[in-house]
Amino acid sequence: MKPITLSDLARRYGYFLDFLDRSGLLDRRGAAAGNVTPENVAGYLTKLQKRVSSVTVYGSIYKLRRASQLLDPRRDFRWLTEIEKDLAMVMRPRSKADRFVLTEVLVEHGLTLMAEADHSTNCSDLARARQFRNGLMVATLALHPIRLKNFASLEIGRNFVNIEGQWWIILGASETKENRPDERRLDDMLAPSLEKYLSKYRDVLAQKSESNALWLSSADGQPMTYSAVADAIKKTTLTAIGVGVSSHMFRTAAASSAAVHAGQSPYLASALLHHRDPRVTEEHYNRASSLSAAEALRTVLQGYTKAER
C-alpha cells in the first residue's frame, strides 16, 4: 500500500480506539485488533450515526475492517463485513449538482483572479501574491486535473520541471494511484502566468523559506499542506464563482467538459483522469449526459416558444 493509504487506515483505526478510550472500554493489554468486537463496534457505530453523514459512517467502518484485517489477518471479521455491506446499502451520497461547474468556468475565473491581483493597488504585496497563487492553482488544476495529493506536493525540479523552455508535471509510477507514470505539459495558456508567479509572486510568499515546493503558504513561506491546498481551492472558487468546488469536483468538471466539447473523442476523459478503464470515468465523474439532455430540452423549448409567438 502507498503511505497515504496506510496513514488513512491508521487514523481511522485511531478514531475507533479513541472512542473506546473515552468510553472506558479500551483494553490496553489486548491483542492487536482485539478491541474490534461486535459490542464495541455497535457502540462506535451509534456514535458515528449521530454525528456524521451516512457516507462517512460507511467509510469509517470499511476502513476499520481493513485495518483490523491487516493487524490480525487470522481473525474472522466476516461479521464486520456484513455490517459494512448493510451500511453501503443505506448510505446516501451528497448530490454534486450544487457544486458542479465546467472546466472553462474554472479556468476563466482562475485567470481573472490572477489579472485582478496583478493590477490591484489597494492591498498588500502579500495579499496580491496569495490571490495570484490561488488563481493559478484553480486554473492549473482545472486544465490538469491530477489528484490533489500529487497537486499539493508539486516540487520545482523534481516533479514540476522545465524541459527546453516548457514546464511539465512529471509523476513517477510510485506517486500515482494507478502505479504508472503520468506526464503532462503545462498548457500554453498558463505559461505567462506561471512565469510571473515564479519570478515575482512566489518570492513574496517564500519570505525566508528556501523550499522548492511550488505552492507556498502566505503565513510562513513553508510548503502548503494537502489540507491547506484543498481549503484554498474551495474557498477561492466559493468567492470567485459562488460555488465551493472541491479538488475532486475538478476531475468531474474535466470529464464532463471533455464529453460535452469533444464527444468525438470518447477516451479523452479517461486519459485526462489517468484511468485505465473508461467505465470508471463514466460511473464516477461524467455528468455530460444530463447536461446535454438539459441543453437539448432548452433548445426545443426555445423553438416552441418562438413558434407560439
Side-chain angles (χ1 to χ4, degrees):
M1 293 183 185
K2 294 185 181 297
I4 191 170
T5 302
L6 290 174
S7 177
D8 187 32
L9 292 178
R11 184 175 66 255
R12 297 299 187 114
Y13 188 73
Y15 292 159
F16 173 68
L17 296 183
D18 179 64
F19 161 75
L20 296 180
D21 189 31
R22 289 184 288 105
S23 303
L25 300 173
L26 181 64
D27 179 5
R28 297 179 179 274
R29 297 183 179 181
N35 284 286
V36 185
T37 65
E39 296 76 19
N40 286 345
V41 170
Y44 182 52
L45 189 55
T46 299
K47 172 249 185 183
L48 286 173
Q49 290 173 329
K50 291 179 179 178
R51 297 183 57 186
V52 298
S53 71
S54 59
V55 175
T56 303
V57 171
Y58 164 75
S60 297
I61 297 302
Y62 161 69
K63 290 174 182 178
L64 173 62
R65 190 260 304 166
R66 289 195 69 191
S68 300
Q69 289 178 326
L70 289 172
L71 289 169
D72 190 351
R74 294 173 297 180
R75 284 188 62 190
D76 185 358
F77 289 105
R78 282 179 293 183
W79 61 270
L80 189 52
T81 301
E82 290 303 314
I83 293 176
E84 177 189 324
K85 290 179 179 178
D86 289 342
L87 293 171
M89 292 180 64
V90 300
M91 70 174 179
R92 294 291 181 268
R94 177 187 170 191
S95 172
K96 295 180 179 181
D98 61 339
R99 297 168 287 145
F100 177 66
V101 296
L102 288 175
T103 294
E104 55 264 37
V105 176
L106 295 168
V107 173
E108 179 184 353
H109 283 281
L111 295 174
T112 299
L113 283 168
M114 287 187 282
E116 289 177 349
D118 206 32
H119 295 93
S120 175
T121 58
N122 59 357
C123 58
S124 67
D125 289 345
L126 187 60
R128 292 173 61 204
R130 180 171 55 245
Q131 179 173 323
F132 196 95
R133 178 204 66 196
N134 291 350
L136 181 60
M137 285 199 294
V138 168
T140 302
L141 189 59
L143 287 169
H144 305 288
I146 59 177
R147 297 184 187 278
L148 183 61
K149 70 181 182 69
N150 298 126
F151 186 75
S153 64
L154 290 177
E155 187 176 335
I156 300 169
R158 186 179 68 83
N159 52 15
F160 191 75
V161 298
N162 190 303
I163 301 176
E164 297 182 352
Q166 299 282 348
W167 284 96
W168 287 74
I169 296 172
I170 300 181
L171 304 173
S174 62
E175 294 182 90
T176 68
K177 183 177 181 180
E178 298 79 15
N179 291 312
R180 55 196 177 97
D182 185 2
E183 299 183 359
R184 304 168 189 244
R185 184 173 66 85
L186 193 75
D187 194 278
D188 291 339
M189 185 190 307
L190 299 179
S193 299
L194 175 66
E195 293 298 340
K196 184 167 292 187
Y197 172 72
L198 294 177
S199 64
K200 179 179 179 181
Y201 292 110
R202 188 177 176 278
D203 290 340
V204 176
L205 294 169
Q207 301 173 50
K208 296 181 180 180
S209 170
E210 297 182 358
S211 171
N212 288 327
L214 181 60
W215 312 120
L216 298 180
S217 169
S218 60
D220 55 13
Q222 295 301 308
M224 294 179 72
T225 64
Y226 175 101
S227 297
V229 172
D231 189 55
I233 288 172
K234 195 165 186 177
K235 287 182 177 178
T236 299
T237 53
L238 179 61
T239 301
I241 307 173
V243 178
V245 184
S246 69
S247 56
H248 192 70
M249 286 298 293
F250 275 68
R251 293 170 65 80
T252 298
S256 296
S257 295
V260 168
H261 301 302
Q264 72 280 9
S265 302
Y267 300 113
L268 176 59
S270 297
L272 275 172
L273 303 186
H274 209 228
H275 286 161
R276 291 182 184 275
D277 189 345
R279 291 174 298 179
V280 176
T281 307
E282 290 297 321
E283 179 180 358
H284 294 289
Y285 296 97
N286 193 0
R287 298 291 180 273
S289 57
S290 58
L291 283 174
S292 300
E295 178 67 18
L297 176 61
R298 184 177 66 82
T299 301
V300 170
L301 291 177
Q302 283 181 334
Y304 178 79
T305 302
K306 290 179 181 179
E308 287 293 309
R309 291 175 183 173

